[in-house]
Every structure is written in C-alpha cells, then in structure tokens.
Amino acid sequence: MSIEIQDLHVRYGEQVAVSGLSLTVPEGSCFGLLGPNGAGKSSTIRCIATTQAPTSGTIRVGGKDVATEGAAVRALLGVVPQGLAVYDGLTVQQNLRIFGGLYGLEGAKLAERVKWGLELSQLGAHATKKAVELSGGMKRRLNIAAALLHDPKILIFDEPTAGVDPQSRNHIFETVRALHAEGRTVVYTTHYMEEVEALCDRVAIVDHGKLAACDALPALLARAAPTGFHVTLKAPAPLADVRARLEAAGFDLAEVAAEGRTLESAFLELTGRGLRDAS
Amino acid sequence: MNAFFWILRKDLGVFFSDRKGAAMVIIVPLVLGAMMGLIFDPGGGTGKLDVIVVDDDHGAAVGDLVARLGAEPSLNVLPKTEAEAREAVTGGKTGVAIRFAPGTSPKLTPAALFASGDRDGLTLWVDPSRKTEADIVTGLLTKAMMESVFSAVGDPTQQQKMFQDLRAGLGADAAARPELAKFLEDGAGFAGENDARAKDPATAGSGGMALKPPLDVKTETLVAAGPTAGFQSYAHTFAGMLMQFLLFSASGQARNLYAERDAGTLDRLRMTRASKAQILLGSAASVGVVSLMATAVVFGVGMAFFGITLRSGPLAFFVVALGQAAFVGSFAILLAGLANSSKQLDAVATLLILALCFVSGAWVPTFMLPHALQSAGPLVPTRWLLDGMAGATWRGLGLGHALECAGVLFGFAVVFSGIAVKRFRWG
Ligand SMILES: Nc1ncnc2c1ncn2[C@@H]1O[C@H](COP(=O)(O)OP(=O)(O)OP(=O)(O)O)[C@@H](O)[C@H]1O
Ligand SMILES: [Mg+2]
C-alpha cells in the first residue's frame, strides 16, 4: 500500500501552503516527513486523509484516488492528528468504543479492538477515566489508539510526540516500530530529527511547500558532510587512555566523549523507564 | 496601559476577528427592532381579529348587524355554518364565533332596549385560551347592536326632546286624543327623570330604565374534549416555554459542532465511515432525544402538579413530542449550516428563535400580528408545534390532529436537514 503524490498544490486564499509537491511513499516503508514549521506537512497529510481538497494535483493511496474514492482511501488509513482530537467529556473506553463503532466494528470484534487499543496505549488502568482527566502524554496515547482501531494498512502520524515525556515517547516509538514490523506502511511527521533517525528508513524534507530532498535515510545522511567520527570500542577502556593513544597517533582531537551519557539517559535513570501512569 | 485595557483590547480583537459574525451581531438587533415594530405598529395595517358569524336567523335585523360588524376596521367577519364554527373554535383556528339563532331578528327592536328581568341571549363560542379576543368581540358586538337598534335616540335628552316634539306636534288635536297626549307627556317626563338619574352621581349606572343592549351576550367556551373540559393555562405555557428552551438548546448543539470543528474531532469523525449526512443527522438526533426527555419531565411534572391532562391520550401526545423532537433536532443542524462560526451562530440563532417564538403565539396572541404574518401560519413550524401540543393536551383534538401536526413538523425536519447537509462546511 503506497502513497503517490503528484504535483500537489494547496492554497488558503493568498497563502500558499503546498506548491508542486510530488513524492512516493513506498509500500511497507517507514517514511519520515520533515520540514520546518509551516512547511506544509499537515496540509499534505489532510489532503492524503481526504479531509481537505487539494487546490490541484492528484494523490493515490493504495492505488485509489483520494478525489474520487474517498471512502476506500479512508478505510486504508489510520491518521493520528497533530491536535488532541478526543472527546474530553467521555471516558477512555467510551472514546475508543465510539471511534471503533464509527469505523464499522461491532460486537465481539469491537470489544476485542477496544481491548487492543487500551493495551496499545497502556491506558487499561484508566479506561473509566474521562479524557479530560488524563495527562497530556496519556491523552496523546489515546489520540493514537483511537486512529488505529480499524487495523488500517497505512498509518500517518502527525507529530505524535509533541509534549510527551521521554517514557511516553519511547512507548510511542515502540508502538510505531511494532506496527511497522507487522508490515504496515508508516508516514511519520516530526521536528525531532533523532526520532526520524531512530524510526524511519526513508525521509522526505519539505520546505515552503516544496520537496527539498527525498531518499533512503543512509543516502540522505551521506549527503551531509561528516562533522566528526564515531568510534566504537569492542572492550571498554578509560576515556583518558583513548584520548592519549589517539593523540599519540598524531590526531588533532576536538572532542572525545563517552557515549550514552546524555541528559535523557540520566533522566530515565532517575525516573525509571516504565510509563509513569501505566499502573 | 493597565491590565484592564489589555483585556479590553484582547476581547475587541477577538470579537472583530470574525468580521462577518461581528457585522451580524450588530445588524441583528436592527432586524429584530424592525420586525417587532412591524408586528406592533398600530398604524401599518395591523391584524384584523377573525370572528366567525353563524347566521341561522336570516332576518333583516341580523343582516344589518352582521353588515355593521363587517364594517368594523378591526374585525374580519367570516360567515360559516354552525358545524364549521364549532370545529374552527375547538380546533384553535378561530378564537370567537357569534351565533344568531333563528328568531333573533324580531328581538332586535328598540323595545328590547327597555326590557328588564330575563332577557334573550346571544351566544358567543369562545376558545378558552383566547378570552381577550372574546372580550374585544363582545364590546364591538354590543356597540353594533346598539347602533343597529337605535341610532338617533341614543341618550335620554334626545328621547325627551323626541317626546316633547311629538307632543307639540299633536297641537290642537291633543284635546281630541287625550290618551296619546298623556302618553307623550309621560314619556317626556320619564325620559327627563332618566336623564336626571343618569346625571346624578349617586344613582348613575343603577338599573332603573336605563338603556341596555337588546340582547345579552353570553359566552360559552368550546373545548373539543367536552363541555366540562376547561382550559389548562399550564398546558399552554409549558408547551410554549418548553419549545423556547428546546430551540435554544438546539443552538447550543450547533455551537458544539463548531467546537468539534475547532478541536479536530470533526475531522476525525470524517476519517471514519460516517458520511456528512450521518454525522449531522446523528447530531440532530441527540438534540431530539434530549428534547423527548425534557418533554417527558416537563409534562410529567405538569400532569402531577399543575393539572395538565393529555385529553387526546398518551399516544397522540407522544406523536406530537416526536414531531417536536424531529423539528428541534433539524433546527440545530440548520443553524450550524446557515451560520459559519459561533459568532454568526449567535446572531442567526437569536434572530430565528425570537422570530419563531413570536410568530408562534407563544409570547403574544397571534391576532396581534399583522395579517400577512397571521396568514403565514402554515409556514411557521412553531405554530404547528404549539397547535399540536394544545390539541394533544387541553383541547383534546384526538390522534388525527396530532398526526397532522407531527407530519408537518417531520416535513419541516426533512427540509431543514436537507438544507443543513447541503450548506454545512467542514472547515
Ligand atoms: N486553515 C488555514 N488557513 C490559512 N492558512 C493556513 C491554514 N492552515 C495552514 N495554513 C498555512 O499553510 C502553511 C502550511 O501549514 P501546515 O499546517 O500545513 O504546516 P506544517 O508543516 O504542518 O507546520 P507545523 O510543523 O507547524 O505543524 C502555513 O503557512 C500556514 O500558515
Ligand atoms: Mg503540522
């Protein structure tokens, strides 16, 4: 199930949001869509999702034209919106049941998928809480689960990790990886480069509504001039030793740093790796 | 600048960010003012009060009386048969009917003006919810009768002069016809006495031989449910206020749809299998369900504590309540379709709700509306709704009437929903 975008234009009055974008998301890929704020990512996603009509251009999802076969396209897609679009007044479980029902699930199948959604979002313990009572990160996870109940073949995530703690982010990563590993096509939008590096095999960079680059991740990385080297030792050695021996070999060193010592690793060390709200 | 001014600037900025909505908020009071002016303008072709006349007498005197009523600028006389008149009054179509029984004409004589004791009557059939109209008709009818029976000899002074003139005219013949002379003298004396009595504050208005209309006007209220079934003013006010509340809650639901649009949940719904029609109709149905619950509670309490009875049976009431639910539900999405932002909604909803309530007769009697608006009744859903509610409760007009009203309300619901689905914008 691939997505083919051809010469997409989106305008809001005078404002040009997307301007002649063409790209293909290959079936089974985990596709990173990168771009600065206002680059036109969300606009593009809304066009793919059929909730917005392109000003011009064509989009095919799994071979189906979004303009003429909207319903078929929607059945293939699971779109996790950038905003938290859940019903605050309803409980977690009610939210999932309603979206599942709207996706055409019923009876035992619906119950099973709601259960799956609760597991996926690790919100089982909060099933009867109203969405308004959830923390931002928990709500993000509900926002994701609500889009996936109908087991779509193509998943589109629009900044799914905005405003979540590292624990929730890791959980979301694992979710995306697992869903991708099961053979689904994934489109992932974010401003966090390390997320794309960690998750995606193919990346497009858009700017001012135009495609700046689109390639496999390693090929894209190869385009950037290296700013340094990363040396991995087979057996750990004291940092001072490594530095001394490299200097002895005649290298002019700018920095030699131990790996894995980041603020995030310290944070996770101190607060634990499990989801804070999972119990 | 202190915080007060920053808040002021912020709120004005937000208000005018939706220019069309802001313009509507300013224009709507103008439209409402003009509308109310039109409704209550005493000069500009105010509404005529419909009154049915059943002439079973066919005499000349009644004919003259009916012609005088017809000439009244504030009355619209509708000649009907007795059966038609009863149906129109019990059905709430016309507030008042006057029936002239056979043999009325001969009683419309000057002699009847002086008759005391038991007097012949004339019947007004009245819709008990429209007593004001009956009072107006009674006044005008009495006036017409008086005018019809005697025009020139209206006051005792005139009568006295009339007798004196006649006596003077008798002249020399008086000696030859003493009885006649005596009669005319007595008459003049009697009229003079009456004149004095009428002018004396101590006895003014006290019986005696003062002139009275030739016939007493007796009102008889007509209710389909039977002669002992009276008007239930609570059934009337509960229905009106419930309707008003439901229309406002419908506009609340329209606002919810805009809130969902802003929150992104509406887009999310669109990603599911739900069609636009399903999303809007489902939303309308939720208003309908709330409407049914509110109706059950309001009338349940009304029946338990305020003496309201369902004189057409529970089924007829339920049918009308269903029609009401369909109407207010569709009204919610109609508003969402007609406006395009919460601010525009404020303006459009206020205008439509006030207009619908006014024209329905929930706030002012419909006879006070201009004729054009009165005859627009069948185009006004709220008129059908209140008619249906009255028919199902105190009027007791039966299941057929309930089905008719509910049918029309469903018709409106279909049209409103169609417009809503066509006009509603996702973004
Ligand atoms: N509803 C709208 N009306 C007018 N202009 C809009 C609308 N939505 C987006 N735009 C404009 O279109 C351009 C692209 O917006 P879009 O939301 O697609 O960008 P994005 O890449 O998703 O940005 P971000 O990373 O900030 O989410 C922006 O310049 C934005 O101002
Ligand atoms: Mg965006």
Side-chain angles (χ1 to χ4, degrees), chain A residues 49 51 74 85 87 102 143, chain B residues 260 265 268-271 273:
Chain A
T51 54
R74 286 192 287 275
Y87 291 101
L102 283 167
N143 198 39
Chain B
E260 282 214 32
T265 45
R268 181 150 227 175
L269 296 180
R270 292 171 66 196
M271 288 302 302
R273 290 191 183 183

Side-chain angles (χ1 to χ4, degrees), chain B residues 137-211:
Chain B
V137 169
T138 305
L140 291 172
L141 179 61
T142 307
K143 171 176 165 240
M145 276 196 291
M146 296 297 269
E147 284 175 355
S148 167
V149 172
F150 72 152
S151 23
V153 289
D155 62 300
T157 323
Q158 292 270 336
Q159 292 161 21
Q160 191 176 22
K161 187 170 181 301
M162 178 184 78
F163 282 114
Q164 285 164 347
D165 287 352
L166 287 170
R167 173 67 185 83
L170 207 55
D173 283 353
R177 303 172 68 183
E179 309 83 16
L180 183 56
K182 179 162 182 347
F183 169 73
L184 292 173
E185 280 156 15
D186 285 353
F190 172 67
E193 210 175 286
N194 257 355
D195 192 20
R197 282 174 70 88
K199 283 172 181 154
D200 179 357
T203 51
S206 72
M209 290 296 281
L211 294 178

Side-chain angles (χ1 to χ4, degrees), chain A residues 37-38 40-43 45-46 82 158-159 189 191:
Chain A
N37 287 136
K41 305 181 295 293
S42 292
S43 300
I45 287 174
R46 282 197 296 269
Q82 183 171 351
D158 194 353
E159 299 192 29
T189 300
H191 296 113

